[in-house]
Every structure is written in structure tokens, then in C-alpha cells.
Amino acid sequence: MHASTIRIDTLPAVVAGAVLALLCVAAVPWAWDRWRRKVPGRMATTVLAVVAVVAACGLAVNAAGSFYPTLGSLLGTSPNPEEGTVADAGPDGRDLGRTLATAAQRSANGQGSLLHLTVTGARTHLTRDVDVYLPAGYTSPGYAGFRFPAIEWIPHFPGEPRQVATLYGLPDLLDKAIASHRLPPTVVIIADPNGEPRLTHDSECVDAVGGPANDTFLSADLRSWAYRTLRVRTDREGWAIAGWSSGGYCALNLTVRHPQWFAAAVSMSGYDATPRDVETGDLFHGRRDIQHANDVSATLREHPSAVRLLVTADGSAGDERAALERLRAAAAPPVELTTWTLAPAGHNLAAVREELPAVLDWLDTQLGNPVPAGRLPAGQVTAAGVWPLPDVGTPGSLRGEDATP
């Protein structure tokens, strides 16, 4: 049994942790005078009891928020990145042609196909796991020569692409939404925003000062790879980004920083600025210009562009509602901001699964249909919407008004 198969966000795990903590606490007075060497024995049982109580509390908090669904996600291991997918398309999707036979078989039953592959960025040279959802119509003769709208889906920290399938249940929801004509046939690209190891390695999808160019990989590299490899639309109106929690911040930040490439974004229970905590660390190393350039509210206020944003917040989460209010105060035309304050449900995966159908309905209103390759709309943002990005100093990272994917 691998750590990735051990769930730690379930009620049995919480109960087991609580029982173990109670036993450790009870052992302190029970063994107090039974130790042959009293001082080290008493110290050992006391420390063990404290650790057990802290661990039990951590399990309870983790279960409430679904931060680390498995022991593997806590430890940052990914023994099976293909989990939840139906075929492996190889490095940079070089085996995509072979996997399309599997996709065609599933398409006959009205099912889309989630494929696993890796992508190495042409600019950043980062290599990350990527899952790609191809809708049932992708292999249909009726759509031959068509390019499909695309959604880039950003997993939450410490998530990875396979968790969007296995924990969110996104492929099944996409199948149902497309089959019921509540979403156009859409390609969904789910990329790993962090890489390994994940423990204390929350990239927040930014080009870090002195670190990896995650923003450039997720925007320029991934998009240019998709142009070459998949039949996706190349106009900005055909692209959206979505995510939950940290993935929601990523979706907002990438979209407002690169309005020449993305027209819409969804932030489910996200925020508007990067935190500085034990998991994230210091991404900017004193560069306040870089930090400011990754503040979504500041960007909306100072560099408004023709983007359409959906931001949701749990009614009981003060930090989420505060971020939503800052975004409301900053957004002005041509920005279109839609906000939902949801019934209190907590920051957890159950709430995500409950919210996803409505999010897909909103995306349906934002994405166009598949378009014949020769008739793609231009859909470009005005020059005023592209603003100069400060240089983080990482080779290959986007800077200035660089708009080359």
C-alpha cells in the first residue's frame, strides 16, 4: 500500500487519530510511577501525548478543509500520476495519435477521455504532469478540422492533475454538461502548477524571484504546446482558466496578467494576493514591484482589460468575502466581474463538487463553440490591455509586453 492510497481526510481517520490521542494522554498518569527511570520515561510519554493531540487536531482541521486528501499528498509523493486517466500520451503528447483510438471508442458511448502526459516548456524548460480532457466530439468526423474552446484548470495546493479527476469528479461532470448542451465541446487542460516535492512548495503560479517561472509555463509554454499538439482555438475568446482555492487565485492572476491570451476566469473560493506562510515561503524576496504585479485587485485597478471574471466566496469565510469585496472595489469597465456569495459550506472538496455544475453553466456563457480552423475569430484584446510585466530575472520568463506564447 502506497501513501497515495491512504486517505487522511475521512471521518474514520479523524476518529482513529482522536482515539490514539486519548490513549496517549491516558498513558501519562497511568505510567507516571511505573517507569524504572522516571524522568526520561515521564518526558517520553508526555511528549508523545502532546504530539498525538496535535496530530489529532491536525487531522480534524484537514478533514474540514480537505487540504491533504491522502498521506501521499501530505508527503508530496506522486507514484501514479496517471490515476483517473484512460491512456498515457507520452512526453509532450507524442503518443497522442495512438491514444485517440481509445478516445474514439469512448466517444461512441458519449464519453470524453482524460489523457495523461508530460509537457516540457519551450521557454522555461520546466517539465510537469498534465492531464488533458478531450470531449466526445473531438474524434468525431463531424468535427474534423474544427478547433475547440479550451479551459485551463489549475489544481489547488497541494493538489495535482489526477486529483481533479479522482476528487473533483470533473470528467464525469464535463461529459454530462456537454451531453446536455450546457457546455460546448471543450478541451480541458489540467497542469501541475507546482512540481515535486509539494510539501512546503506552493508556487501560487507566479514567476518567483530566483525560482521557477511557473506563470510563464502555465501561460505561454502550455498554450503554445496546446496550439501545436491539440485542436484548440488560438483566439483569446476561446480560452478560460478556472480553479479552486489557490487554483482560483492562479486563474484570476494569470488571466488579468495575460489578457491577450485569456478572456475569462473562474475563482472558486480563492483570493486576490499571494500569502506568505510556511507552505508558500517568500516568492518575491523583497521585490515589491513583482509582488504588486501579482496582486489581482491592484492589476484590475491599474491595468483594466476586457476580461470576464467569476469569483465565488463561502458565506462563512471572512477572508474569501474580504477578497471578493476588494475585487468588487477594483473592477471597472472593461472588466466584467460576477460574484457569488455561497451558503456556508466550508473550504472543502464537498463544497467544490456542489459548486462545479453551476460553474460549468457560467463557463458555457463565456466560451464559444468549436470553430473551423480557417474561420477563427481574431478576438484580440486592445493594445491598452497588455501591460509591461516586471522582469523577475529568471531565464525564459515573460517580461515587459512580451506576448509571444
Side-chain angles (χ1 to χ4, degrees):
M1 179 179 294
H2 195 277
S4 66
T5 65
I6 302 174
R7 294 294 295 267
I8 59 174
D9 64 342
T10 61
L11 180 60
V14 174
V15 171
V19 170
L20 180 62
L22 287 173
L23 291 175
C24 290
V25 170
V28 174
W30 180 82
W32 194 258
D33 292 319
R34 287 178 167 82
W35 292 104
R36 179 173 299 177
R37 300 179 64 183
K38 287 184 168 50
V39 172
R42 290 171 177 175
M43 290 178 60
T45 52
T46 302
V47 170
L48 181 62
V50 171
V51 170
V53 169
V54 171
C57 293
L59 283 171
V61 172
N62 180 68
S66 297
F67 301 114
Y68 298 90
T70 67
L71 182 60
S73 64
L74 175 64
L75 299 176
T77 61
S78 292
N80 182 19
E82 298 176 43
E83 184 179 356
T85 62
V86 300
D88 192 298
D92 292 319
R94 67 182 60 167
D95 296 327
L96 181 64
R98 174 181 53 78
T99 63
L100 289 182
T102 300
Q105 292 174 356
R106 293 175 57 83
S107 177
N109 298 320
Q111 294 176 295
S113 297
L114 189 67
L115 310 176
H116 173 263
L117 46 91
T118 58
V119 172
T120 299
R123 296 179 62 124
T124 63
H125 305 295
L126 294 173
T127 299
R128 298 279 171 82
D129 285 298
V130 176
D131 286 352
V132 174
Y133 170 87
L134 301 180
Y138 192 88
T139 55
S140 169
Y143 280 110
F146 277 69
R147 286 188 169 266
F148 292 76
I151 301 172
E152 188 173 333
W153 207 286
I154 309 294
H156 66 282
F157 178 82
E160 50 191 307
R162 65 192 179 120
Q163 293 185 354
V164 175
T166 59
L167 300 178
Y168 294 16
L170 183 61
D172 289 341
L173 289 173
L174 290 167
D175 283 349
K176 292 175 183 177
I178 293 170
S180 60
H181 305 289
R182 292 186 297 106
L183 187 72
T186 302
V187 171
V188 181
I189 302 169
I190 310 165
D192 184 346
N194 297 298
E196 303 246 14
R198 290 182 178 79
L199 191 63
T200 67
H201 180 57
D202 182 5
S203 75
E204 295 291 321
C205 306
V206 306
D207 284 353
V209 176
N214 299 289
D215 175 330
T216 299
F217 175 82
L218 292 166
S219 54
D221 278 348
L222 200 59
R223 187 177 167 104
S224 64
W225 168 82
Y227 289 170
R228 299 190 307 270
T229 313
L230 304 171
R231 297 202 326 270
V232 293
R233 288 174 52 167
T234 55
D235 60 306
R236 66 181 295 270
E237 288 296 329
W239 280 74
I241 316 182
W244 170 63
S245 191
S246 60
Y249 163 74
C250 292
L252 292 179
N253 196 41
L254 291 172
T255 299
V256 300
R257 283 170 60 86
H258 310 297
Q260 70 272 31
W261 296 329
F262 305 102
V266 178
S267 170
M268 303 165 62
S269 296
Y271 37 90
D272 62 336
T274 59
R276 182 174 178 179
D277 51 31
V278 66
E279 294 175 328
T280 307
D282 184 2
L283 296 170
F284 307 113
H285 297 284
R287 287 284 303 274
R288 292 191 177 183
D289 58 331
I290 307 295
Q291 182 176 4
H292 187 75
N294 286 278
D295 183 317
V296 178
S297 293
T299 301
L300 289 179
R301 191 166 46 247
E302 299 167 13
H303 307 286
S305 57
V307 294
R308 303 181 296 278
L309 312 175
L310 169 62
V311 182
T312 76
D314 183 88
S316 62
D319 55 341
E320 294 176 18
R321 289 187 286 110
L324 189 149
E325 291 302 324
R326 288 192 295 270
L327 291 166
R328 282 175 177 161
V335 176
E336 297 179 23
L337 176 65
T338 301
T339 59
W340 296 347
T341 301
L342 307 174
H347 195 79
N348 54 63
L349 291 171
V352 175
R353 290 189 288 267
E354 183 72 21
E355 187 181 352
L356 273 173
V359 166
L360 294 180
D361 286 344
W362 185 85
L363 284 167
D364 176 49
T365 66
Q366 307 303 312
L367 293 171
N369 292 310
V371 177
R375 296 207 299 267
L376 282 172
Q380 295 301 312
V381 72
T382 61
V386 180
W387 54 286
L389 303 176
D391 184 359
V392 301
T394 303
S397 62
L398 293 166
R399 63 200 71 184
E401 295 185 11
D402 189 348
T404 305

